[in-house]
Amino acid sequence: MLVFLLRRLVVALSVALTVSAVAFLLLHLSGDLAMAIAGPEASPGQVAQIRVQYGLDKPLPTQFLDWLVGALHFDFGRSFYFRDSVASLVVQRMPVTLILGAISLTVALLIAIPLGVVAAVHRGGWIDRAALVFCVLGQAIPTFWLGLSLIIVFAVNLRWLPVSGSSSWAHYVLPSIALGWYAVPAVMRLTRNGMLDVLASDYIRTARAKGLRWPSVLFKHALRNAVVPVVALAAVQFGFMLGGSIVVEAVFSMHGLGHLAWEAIGRKDFPVVQAIVLLLAGIYIGLTLLADLLNAWLDPRIRVA
Amino acid sequence: MAVIRGGKSILLAAAVALGLPSVAQAGKANDTLVYASDSELENISPYHNSVREGVIIARHVWETLIYRNPTTGAYEPYLATSWNWADPLTLDLDLRRGVTFHDGSPFTADDVVFTFNYVLTPEAKVVTKQNVNWMQSAEKLDDYKVRIHLKGPFPAALEYLSGPTPIFPAGYFKKVGLDGFAKAPIGTGPYRIVAVESGTGVKLEKSKTYWKGSPIGEVAIGKVEFRVIPDAETRMAELMTGGVDWIWRVPADQAKQLETVPNITVLSAETMRVGFLQFDAVGRTNPNTPLKNAKVRQAIAYAIDRDAMVKSLVRGGARVMHSACFIDQAGCTDQGVPRYAYDPAKAKALLAEAGYANGFDIEIYAYRERDYAEAVIGYLQAVGIRARLNFQKFAAVREQSRAGKVPIFFQTWGSFSINDASAFTGVWFKGDDDDMSRDGEVKKLLDTADTTIDLDARKKTYAEALAMIADRSYLLPLFSYPTNYAFTADLAFTAQPDEMPRFYAARWR
């Protein structure tokens, strides 16, 4: 188990490093950072001054190394725009995004897993087909469109829920649906396929032959095995959701990490973007690791694989 | 249907049981005017942000030495009760007694001297330096008398002292520093800040200690709240549900939709932003560019039907401009400035005279209002100028323009809401990187006008420079921009061309 864990950790760290390097390069290739910081009204002299002040005149590898050394000490620099420490900005905005992601994932799993089970049990029937249509629709609808539609129906027309903000639990309802919706099709399809495989296997036939009750077979025996890949997928989906919250946070005006990232990209606020990329990559990697461990626990065969 | 209705009432009952917060939080009922905009403040200190939302808050929380009456344009006493020019480089001001900051400390000459001397230091890292760097230093003459030393003659000084130069509390600022000030700022203005929420917004409350007799008058609305809502559709939805009371910069199509919504007022008003075409008259893009020929530039001016563009495209309070400035700015005039009425035949004739009877190919760079740029292209094509649109992000176009790679630039300029012609002409004709005509004669006239204190003499020189610019057609002013405001019908609100919403002057109906 320890070797398994160590191997995973090494992979995780190298992924984080690669992601940071790629983000760094992409951001620098996207145009003159100094000009973006200086703003539309700045004179060339001011731009030049900013270039020196922010160390943007140094060669790229030096800049990256400087950043990396800082990051290793948990110093992500100061935001170009807010002139505040990046770490404190990120800490301020993080809770909104994490809460949103957690609720969305819960919503998605609560819808997708039962739907997947039901679809598998009624394989080929109208419920199954309806569920698949639902999946296709789910994947086809863009998040911002769904978000705005939810606002129009539930906030503007029915006036049940607030349009935007994050000051109470009610503010999280519509955004969580919009964000969670995104994960439903994948999770549902995986649950359905997993259940189909498991239900066709010998041990289920044996269990049924022994005369065990159907719900017990379904939930105790089948689901536990079918859900193994779902756990991994859910972790990945949670990572996606943190990234996907950029759109949802913009539409619902929630001032979380996603919104901060969106704004920072627009302003080329390099230290902020870089820190968020690293953080999201870190969370993503951490979750994948957690999923691996969880799976290893759920299915001991994985540990030796 | 019965099922749906039943379902709805169950949900509503559940909502009530769970204590769902009331959706509408803004409005007349709780005396809170909530306004929403897309931009987040980088720092609430007015010297440390460059966004319009910062300017708005600044005007409600801090005061300046001089007040510019938005209706008459006249300069009136504010924190200073009187002022006089000792000489063109020295301005003396008497200060108002009995004014206090929101923490109760009295306003004195120390505050003025500290504020100006602080913002002039490089360590202060003031964002928009041109707002302050015309000053050399500030000096205390006595507790209620200050002297401002200028770097050079600068007639726009009063304009700057009435806008982007608010006065900070010296004692408090020195104690808490910029970081502390940004979290809990105080000023002498009609509203005090009760909360600065990072990323979310700012909450203001009417100051109970605000001095009597201020030119801005009695403040009617008790609380003002600024919310950042990045998405235009979401802002509109918030307005429709009463979550916010006031939004602006509403796109024309949304404004039209909102006009049909009961209880919402849509107001379209002119702003100081002017759209214009700038030509590569020097030949930096290409030594043989047709644009070097004044006749070609004049032909372009005759070819565009600006009246039609204003009527059918720009709409709502926009006006055709003839001079290279916003017409209401001090010193700006179109008297005696050549005008180019729409005349495609004349345009063609001028092109033929210049040797381009068959027209030519050219690129127009633009970064906003693609439809306006496309309309311009349509007019140019009608007289044989085969223009192609090169539409890019602002920073990218500017980079290329400054590098001399842009033949025709569809530009706009809002003058930072500075009500002085120099805030416009100073950027485009004084030989800096953004100057595409580089005409020494024009620059010389502007240098004189910019430093002449006598307003009449100043106007005369500007008129001369503006006539020269128009005659040589270096820059073709198109029109002023309007902006659409939408707000609850409960609110009595008037807009000004300087795009400065004055919530202190608004009241509930």
Side-chain angles (χ1 to χ4, degrees):
Chain A
M1 191 70 183
L2 194 67
V3 179
F4 170 78
L5 196 66
L6 277 177
R7 212 185 318 146
R8 288 291 147 114
L9 266 176
V10 171
V11 173
L13 278 176
S14 36
V15 171
L17 195 69
T18 316
V19 169
S20 300
V22 170
F24 179 87
L25 269 179
L26 283 179
L27 216 59
H28 274 82
L29 291 176
S30 66
D32 190 340
L33 286 180
M35 210 168 231
I37 300 162
E41 325 285 6
S43 69
Q46 285 167 319
V47 175
Q49 197 187 334
I50 281 171
R51 193 163 288 130
V52 176
Q53 193 183 332
Y54 289 95
L56 296 168
D57 54 336
K58 294 184 198 163
L60 275 189
T62 319
Q63 285 185 47
F64 182 62
L65 223 62
D66 285 351
W67 178 81
L68 206 61
V69 170
L72 286 175
H73 295 89
F74 293 101
D75 172 14
F76 297 96
R78 281 174 92 80
S79 156
F80 291 166
Y81 184 73
F82 294 102
R83 295 172 178 80
D84 196 0
S85 112
V86 173
S88 85
L89 272 173
V90 167
V91 168
Q92 273 171 27
R93 310 288 177 101
M94 187 97 137
V96 170
T97 305
L98 286 183
I99 294 172
L100 179 64
I103 301 178
S104 305
L105 185 67
T106 313
V107 168
L109 293 180
L110 284 179
I111 296 172
I113 294 180
L115 207 61
V117 171
V118 172
V121 171
H122 297 91
R123 182 187 191 171
W126 69 269
I127 292 181
D128 188 24
R129 264 175 283 163
L132 286 174
V133 169
F134 181 72
C135 263
V136 173
L137 274 181
Q139 271 169 336
I141 293 174
T143 313
F144 75 90
W145 187 86
L146 179 66
L148 287 172
S149 306
L150 288 172
I151 288 179
I152 290 168
V153 175
F154 294 100
V156 176
N157 289 332
L158 298 172
R159 308 238 170 159
W160 289 354
L161 291 157
V163 176
S164 68
S166 53
S167 50
S168 78
W169 67 266
H171 287 91
Y172 283 91
V173 177
L174 296 181
S176 308
I177 296 172
L179 190 56
W181 181 270
Y182 176 76
V184 167
V187 175
M188 184 242 148
R189 212 173 273 157
L190 203 65
T191 311
R192 178 182 175 272
N193 291 347
M195 282 300 280
L196 285 179
D197 283 348
V198 174
L199 288 179
S201 62
D202 293 341
Y203 74 91
I204 295 292
R205 208 174 307 134
T206 313
R208 294 207 70 180
K210 279 200 309 194
L212 283 179
R213 285 175 56 239
W214 181 227
S216 158
V217 173
L218 209 57
F219 294 106
K220 262 194 182 153
H221 296 79
L223 192 59
R224 177 168 171 154
N225 286 302
V227 93
V228 169
V230 174
V231 170
L233 182 73
V236 175
Q237 288 295 337
F238 187 68
F240 274 140
M241 274 176 182
L242 294 183
S245 69
I246 287 181
V247 175
V248 171
E249 284 181 21
V251 169
F252 290 94
S253 184
M254 305 182 85
H255 298 276
L257 219 52
H259 183 229
L260 184 67
W262 169 257
E263 299 260 271
I265 292 166
R267 299 188 193 108
K268 298 235 174 89
D269 194 346
F270 170 72
V272 174
V273 179
Q274 192 71 351
I276 294 178
V277 166
L278 187 70
L279 184 75
L280 289 184
I283 291 179
Y284 200 82
I285 292 160
L287 285 171
T288 320
L289 197 65
L290 196 72
D292 284 346
L293 295 177
L294 207 59
N295 275 341
W297 173 73
L298 278 172
D299 184 353
R301 282 172 302 176
I302 294 175
R303 273 174 254 170
V304 279
Chain B
M1 196 60 202
V3 176
I4 295 172
R5 218 176 286 141
K8 187 173 163 182
S9 45
I10 289 168
L11 265 168
L12 268 179
V16 172
L18 289 168
L20 201 71
S22 122
V23 169
Q25 293 153 337
K28 189 179 175 177
N30 51 6
D31 197 18
T32 306
L33 188 156
V34 180
Y35 74 99
S37 188
D38 59 347
S39 312
E40 194 173 322
L41 291 172
E42 61 258 54
N43 190 307
I44 198 147
S45 157
Y47 291 102
H48 297 90
N49 71 64
S50 58
V51 290
R52 173 60 41 164
E53 285 62 32
V55 180
I56 299 172
I57 288 173
R59 294 280 179 103
H60 288 80
V61 177
W62 289 277
E63 290 176 301
T64 47
L65 294 176
I66 298 174
Y67 176 78
R68 191 172 61 80
N69 187 317
T71 328
T72 62
Y75 297 112
E76 294 172 11
Y78 205 14
L79 283 179
T81 48
S82 65
W83 52 90
N84 72 292
W85 289 98
D87 60 65
L89 295 180
T90 316
L91 182 64
D92 288 342
L93 302 103
D94 288 309
L95 304 180
R96 189 174 298 279
R97 289 156 199 265
V99 174
T100 55
F101 285 96
H102 298 141
D103 66 345
S105 59
F107 158 78
T108 68
D110 290 326
D111 301 302
V112 179
V113 171
F114 164 75
T115 304
F116 291 163
N117 287 336
Y118 163 71
V119 295
L120 284 166
T121 60
E123 297 77 58
K125 290 189 182 151
V126 168
V127 177
T128 311
K129 292 189 181 63
Q130 55 265 50
N131 285 342
V132 294
N133 67 4
W134 49 274
M135 287 187 270
Q136 180 70 50
S137 64
E139 182 191 345
K140 177 180 173 177
L141 298 181
D142 67 37
D143 277 353
Y144 290 96
K145 209 171 173 60
V146 290
R147 169 168 287 177
I148 296 173
H149 298 279
L150 276 67
K151 282 184 181 151
F154 188 63
L158 298 186
E159 175 64 25
Y160 281 89
L161 286 179
S162 72
T165 51
I167 304 302
F168 280 3
Y172 179 73
F173 194 95
K174 279 186 209 159
K175 198 170 82 192
V176 297
L178 179 59
D179 283 349
F181 193 71
K183 288 185 179 86
I186 56 168
T188 60
Y191 284 93
R192 64 184 191 91
I193 289 177
V194 287
V196 184
E197 288 153 358
S198 165
T200 320
V202 182
K203 288 182 176 148
L204 312 175
E205 209 175 80
K206 195 157 101 177
S207 165
K208 291 193 180 75
T209 56
Y210 190 56
W211 55 285
K212 296 269 177 295
S214 149
I216 67 169
E218 185 93 9
V219 173
I221 294 173
K223 289 178 201 149
V224 174
E225 200 179 314
F226 165 55
R227 276 187 61 194
V228 183
I229 302 179
D231 188 82
E233 271 80 20
T234 312
R235 280 199 297 280
M236 185 165 132
E238 281 284 18
L239 179 70
M240 288 167 72
T241 57
V244 308
D245 300 298
W246 184 99
I247 59 175
W248 68 341
R249 296 169 179 168
V250 182
D253 55 329
Q254 275 192 10
K256 224 170 182 174
Q257 270 175 282
L258 282 171
E259 272 168 7
T260 62
V261 179
N263 304 324
I264 287 179
T265 308
V266 175
L267 177 70
S268 189
E270 188 183 32
T271 73
M272 282 175 77
R273 183 166 294 278
V274 176
F276 57 90
L277 297 181
Q278 222 189 341
F279 306 110
D280 172 27
V282 189
R284 291 204 299 166
T285 51
N286 168 10
N288 301 318
T289 178
L291 296 168
K292 272 171 85 172
N293 190 325
K295 284 189 177 143
V296 171
R297 302 194 298 267
Q298 287 159 353
I300 292 174
Y302 280 118
I304 298 166
D305 191 348
R306 294 175 287 166
D307 283 307
M309 282 182 78
V310 165
K311 263 187 215 115
S312 57
L313 209 56
V314 189
R315 294 191 294 240
R319 282 184 281 176
V320 170
M321 293 283 139
H322 302 285
S323 287
C325 43
F326 176 67
I327 192 66
D328 291 352
Q329 285 175 318
C332 183
T333 176
D334 55 10
Q335 298 302 311
V337 172
R339 295 187 177 203
Y340 297 92
Y342 177 52
D343 192 344
K346 197 161 183 178
K348 278 186 187 165
L350 276 167
L351 282 177
E353 265 180 60
Y356 296 99
N358 296 322
F360 55 87
D361 294 281
I362 200 84
E363 273 196 281
I364 293 190
Y365 284 64
Y367 67 96
R368 54 183 283 174
E369 284 88 29
R370 198 188 175 104
D371 47 341
Y372 298 180
E374 280 168 350
V376 165
I377 284 172
Y379 284 120
L380 294 187
Q381 275 172 345
V383 297
I385 299 171
R386 294 172 296 278
R388 278 186 319 273
L389 180 61
N390 196 330
F391 196 85
Q392 299 181 3
K393 287 267 181 211
F394 176 71
V397 190
R398 185 186 50 186
E399 215 171 322
Q400 292 167 81
S401 155
R402 285 182 173 170
K405 290 176 183 158
V406 172
I408 303 180
F409 195 170
F410 176 74
Q411 260 279 20
T412 77
W413 188 247
S415 301
F416 288 119
S417 294
I418 301 290
N419 207 30
D420 193 276
S422 62
F424 197 108
T425 51
V427 177
W428 310 106
F429 295 101
K430 303 265 298 235
D432 296 328
D433 281 30
D434 291 318
D435 183 350
M436 282 168 69
S437 49
R438 313 272 164 114
D439 186 320
E441 271 184 286
V442 171
K443 183 178 183 301
K444 214 171 142 197
L445 279 172
L446 288 175
D447 281 340
T448 310
D450 287 357
T451 51
T452 305
I453 302 287
D454 178 61
L455 189 61
D456 286 332
R458 201 169 175 233
K459 265 189 182 158
K460 227 176 120 238
T461 322
Y462 271 126
E464 222 177 305
L466 293 168
M468 196 178 276
I469 291 166
D471 183 46
R472 298 174 187 177
S473 197
Y474 289 136
L475 180 152
L476 175 67
L478 296 169
F479 36 72
S480 56
Y481 271 62
T483 189
N484 296 311
Y485 302 84
F487 45 90
T488 164
D490 283 341
L491 192 71
F493 171 84
T494 23
Q496 315 289 346
D498 60 4
E499 286 180 271
M500 228 319 287
R502 291 162 168 86
F503 297 121
Y504 54 70
R507 44 199 76 237
W508 301 114
R509 282 187 203 281

